[in-house]
Amino acid sequence: MSIFQTWKRRIAYGSTDMAGNIIWQMVSTYLLFYYTTVAGISAAFAGMLFFVVRFIDAFDALIYGYLIDHTHTKYGQSRPYFVWFGIPLGLLAMSLFMIPSFGGNTTMRLVYISITYTFFSLIYSGANTPITSILPSLTDDSVERTKLASARMVMTTIGTSAVAAITLPMVKLLGKGNQSKGFTLWAIILGLVIMGLFIFAFLNLKETNGAQNPDGTTESAESLSIWQSLKGAASNKPWLLLACSFILLQTFWMLRGNSAIFFIKYVYGRPELAPIFLGIGFVSVIGNLSVPFLSQRFKNRNVLQFSLVLGVIGQLLLPIAEKMRSVSLLIAGSVIFLIAMGITFTIVFAMLSDTVDYSTKVLGLNETGFLSAVPMIGAKLGMGIGGFLAGQFLAWGQFNAKAAVQSGRTITFINLAFIWMPIILLAAMIFMMQFYRLDEKELQANKAEAAAKVEPKEDVEYDANN
């Protein structure tokens, strides 16, 4: 493959996650703010909605993964889903920030919000599950997979950082003083961008690396039943650990993201810094780009643990910055945290491909789509738990959307949501990764042997030196 084709594939692959995370950024950072401050919905209702909907559809990604494993078209297994679900996702992204007045009928507004958010969540899974499931089918080279994962996160970072930085200015510009109108027009623009990116990815990606059967052939393996897929996943210990880690990761990310604007506005007391504070996410590109370098020299698990520790350090600088009223320290802590998260979110997707390889080449099971549903399960459960906690922390702190200055109780609970709970969740992930023993380098070195249908080998999954 030429350099041009290689980079086109990387950009096309990255555009899928950029599309998905543009709306993710809007939802995780601004939807709670929009519901409570602009639409006048109570924080308790919004938090409960996030919680209930996330658990209603938390495991639909497994269904999408199962469907992907049983999809056979001339365009591949995962690729068609970018069109089938990418276009509806763009339309639903618009609807989230387009709440009709219904003549002042509050009940109808709450029903509308509940329906649009539920459908958005269901379609979001269908558009994003194939982003991960298609990776093992794009190349069998672990190094190139890591570079693809890095390209994915670089483009995601560019998209989310841009949305975080310019959303409030764009809302002000488009709405001309009317926040409701501004959010609606901005959501329409983003919805069109989302659809365009998914179509671009569909046109420029090709599934060229068929899943390898246990006998070493590349013909389509026999499709597994739901029970067989569940049983196979349960026997994949690295996958189980990574699945639990995804839930913790997305919970803390959603909780922190929803609380960020409240922290900078009410705790730090500098709302004019919001575009800068929320928009410096682009620095996580440094973390994204460092992963191929780190991954070649250290085990993926160790890279992940390092990034999580670095994230905790960055978080701990924020309350110090608030006490000292230091803008430079606030930015420094955020930069360290974001670089760490750039590494984290890149390496976990590379690690997920490792667990898929482990399933295919060691356990002898072809369930790429099913196992690749992990990020969406984690995202859904994380969005539910994190969104619920964000709303509840505001409710417990007796947040008053009409008050320019919040009470000491409210400030305490915003700090808990934005700083201390994320630190606790990051620490839990660090501990959990101590039990992750998959050595991707050894797995790659024993690729030919792992392709044979044999019982899992302890020395493939576990490294005696750890």
Side-chain angles (χ1 to χ4, degrees), residues 163-226:
V163 169
I166 68 175
T167 288
L168 293 181
M170 288 300 296
V171 166
K172 183 177 181 180
L173 175 66
L174 295 171
K176 294 179 172 37
N178 185 329
Q179 275 197 314
S180 180
K181 179 182 177 182
F183 269 107
T184 296
L185 293 176
W186 181 232
I188 291 173
I189 293 172
L190 293 182
L192 293 173
V193 171
I194 289 167
M195 289 187 279
L197 288 170
F198 273 119
I199 292 173
F200 172 75
F202 172 79
L203 295 174
N204 290 281
L205 289 177
K206 185 178 181 182
E207 297 178 47
T208 58
N209 177 46
Q212 195 173 53
N213 293 336
D215 62 2
T217 68
T218 56
E219 298 174 1
S220 296
E222 181 182 356
S223 297
L224 302 178
S225 66
I226 285 285

Side-chain angles (χ1 to χ4, degrees), residues 97-363:
F97 296 88
M98 194 183 298
I99 304 176
S101 64
F102 292 108
N105 189 317
T106 302
T107 300
M108 289 300 296
R109 284 164 60 83
L110 296 181
V111 169
Y112 173 86
I113 288 171
S114 301
I115 291 174
T116 53
Y117 188 71
T118 300
F119 274 99
F120 158 76
S121 185
L122 292 168
I123 296 301
Y124 183 84
S125 291
N128 281 266
T129 300
I131 297 175
T132 302
S133 67
I134 199 174
L135 180 55
S137 300
L138 294 177
T139 177
D140 197 38
D141 184 345
S142 62
V143 174
E144 178 58 22
R145 282 184 188 172
T146 302
K147 291 179 179 179
L148 283 165
S150 181
R152 168 184 180 173
M153 296 313 301
V154 166
M155 292 193 64
T156 294
T157 299
I158 293 172
T160 55
S161 299
V163 169
I166 68 175
T167 288
L168 293 181
M170 288 300 296
V171 166
K172 183 177 181 180
L173 175 66
L174 295 171
K176 294 179 172 37
N178 185 329
Q179 275 197 314
S180 180
K181 179 182 177 182
F183 269 107
T184 296
L185 293 176
W186 181 232
I188 291 173
I189 293 172
L190 293 182
L192 293 173
V193 171
I194 289 167
M195 289 187 279
L197 288 170
F198 273 119
I199 292 173
F200 172 75
F202 172 79
L203 295 174
N204 290 281
L205 289 177
K206 185 178 181 182
E207 297 178 47
T208 58
N209 177 46
Q212 195 173 53
N213 293 336
D215 62 2
T217 68
T218 56
E219 298 174 1
S220 296
E222 181 182 356
S223 297
L224 302 178
S225 66
I226 285 285
W227 172 247
Q228 288 173 319
S229 295
L230 287 170
K231 187 177 179 181
S235 66
N236 192 329
K237 295 178 183 178
W239 181 85
L240 287 173
L241 284 167
L242 206 58
C244 293
S245 297
F246 261 108
I247 296 173
L248 294 178
L249 180 63
Q250 297 291 0
T251 297
F252 112 80
W253 191 251
M254 186 70 173
L255 174 60
R256 189 183 188 278
N258 269 317
S259 306
I261 193 168
F262 294 94
F263 173 82
I264 196 67
K265 183 175 182 179
Y266 298 109
V267 177
Y268 198 76
R270 297 284 300 276
E272 72 276 8
L273 293 177
I276 298 174
F277 184 69
L278 299 175
I280 59 174
F282 68 89
V283 301
S284 61
V285 168
I286 298 172
N288 302 148
L289 295 174
S290 71
V291 169
F293 172 83
L294 294 171
S295 182
Q296 289 182 33
R297 288 159 179 78
F298 307 99
K299 294 177 184 178
N300 286 344
R301 183 200 69 174
N302 296 340
V303 173
L304 176 58
Q305 287 185 308
F306 163 75
S307 69
L308 295 173
V309 171
L310 191 62
V312 170
I313 293 172
Q315 278 286 96
L316 288 173
L317 290 178
L318 299 182
I320 299 175
E322 191 270 324
K323 293 295 182 184
M324 296 176 60
R325 311 304 300 166
S326 171
V327 175
S328 59
L329 190 58
L330 178 76
I331 299 301
S334 298
V335 167
I336 292 172
F337 172 81
L338 289 167
I339 291 174
M341 291 304 100
I343 298 173
T344 299
F345 278 93
T346 302
I347 200 65
V348 291
F349 286 106
M351 291 171 70
L352 183 59
S353 289
D354 297 334
T355 66
V356 171
D357 265 354
Y358 177 79
S359 176
T360 304
K361 298 169 182 175
V362 179
L363 299 180

Side-chain angles (χ1 to χ4, degrees), residues 313-429:
I313 293 172
Q315 278 286 96
L316 288 173
L317 290 178
L318 299 182
I320 299 175
E322 191 270 324
K323 293 295 182 184
M324 296 176 60
R325 311 304 300 166
S326 171
V327 175
S328 59
L329 190 58
L330 178 76
I331 299 301
S334 298
V335 167
I336 292 172
F337 172 81
L338 289 167
I339 291 174
M341 291 304 100
I343 298 173
T344 299
F345 278 93
T346 302
I347 200 65
V348 291
F349 286 106
M351 291 171 70
L352 183 59
S353 289
D354 297 334
T355 66
V356 171
D357 265 354
Y358 177 79
S359 176
T360 304
K361 298 169 182 175
V362 179
L363 299 180
L365 299 173
N366 178 25
E367 47 180 348
T368 301
F370 193 82
L371 296 181
S372 296
V374 172
M376 285 313 306
I377 297 173
K380 292 298 185 68
L381 290 175
M383 285 175 72
I385 300 172
F388 170 75
L389 288 176
Q392 289 305 306
F393 273 120
L394 289 178
W396 293 332
Q398 300 175 355
F399 171 73
N400 183 355
K402 296 181 179 179
V405 178
Q406 300 295 324
S407 68
R409 177 187 176 93
T410 303
I411 297 301
T412 296
F413 276 91
I414 292 175
N415 271 323
L416 284 172
F418 182 70
I419 295 174
W420 301 112
M421 277 301 297
I423 287 177
I424 291 172
L425 293 171
L426 287 173
M429 282 186 64

Side-chain angles (χ1 to χ4, degrees), residues 440-461:
E440 70 284 349
K441 293 176 174 58
E442 188 172 350
L443 182 63
Q444 186 74 9
N446 290 284
K447 178 178 174 182
E449 180 182 353
K453 188 176 182 180
V454 295
E455 292 295 321
K457 293 185 177 182
E458 197 72 5
D459 62 343
V460 172
E461 181 181 349

